[in-house]
Amino acid sequence: MAVLTSDGATLRSFADSVLRAAEETLEEVMPVTLAVIGGVLAEAEPGSVALQDADDGPPLLWATFAGRRMVFRYNTMTAMIELRDGTAEGYPLRLFGHRSLQMDVVNFFGSLRREGRI
């Protein structure tokens, strides 16, 4: 079950759990985690950010973008944040990792905003 708190507190909790889980790859994971958190903070619908406990690692981060409910999950095996559309199962829609370019992250979150205007 998702627990709804303030968006800032929820994002801080997600970032903290990801960074604790990424202890061995912290230098690679920290920049992308901060970029994803910033994208969610800037583009998610206010009040839509929530955490859900996960059995196998850090909690899942749910947020709504332009009416689409999406979930972020940190995969400890790949050291990447996975994004899925509407479900925590199945193949990720997008992967965010240490090889993600800064502009790719910016463009991705910006595209979510533009989808809401169409």
Side-chain angles (χ1 to χ4, degrees):
M1 169 172 251
V3 176
L4 187 63
T5 62
S6 75
D7 292 349
T10 302
L11 290 169
R12 180 174 289 150
S13 180
F14 178 74
D16 181 59
S17 63
V18 168
L19 297 177
R20 278 188 283 116
E23 185 176 345
E24 293 179 20
T25 55
L26 189 60
E27 286 185 29
E28 296 175 1
V29 174
M30 185 179 296
V32 74
T33 301
L34 295 176
V36 168
I37 294 300
V40 173
L41 186 61
E43 301 300 340
E45 294 177 10
S48 72
V49 180
L51 291 179
Q52 177 185 349
D53 287 336
D55 296 332
D56 58 348
L60 306 176
L61 177 69
W62 290 87
T64 302
F65 302 89
R68 293 170 60 189
R69 193 78 174 140
M70 298 188 165
V71 62
F72 296 85
R73 175 184 173 263
Y74 177 68
N75 184 327
T76 57
M77 300 298 288
T78 63
M80 298 181 91
I81 296 176
E82 303 170 343
L83 172 67
R84 291 179 174 79
D85 191 355
T87 179
E89 305 298 322
Y91 192 77
L93 172 69
R94 182 78 186 226
L95 298 171
F96 299 99
H98 74 281
R99 292 188 176 162
S100 298
L101 298 176
Q102 206 173 22
M103 282 312 298
D104 289 341
V105 176
V106 170
N107 289 337
F108 173 77
F109 282 102
S111 72
L112 293 175
R113 180 179 350 115
R114 286 188 297 276
E115 284 180 18
R117 293 182 181 162
I118 296 174

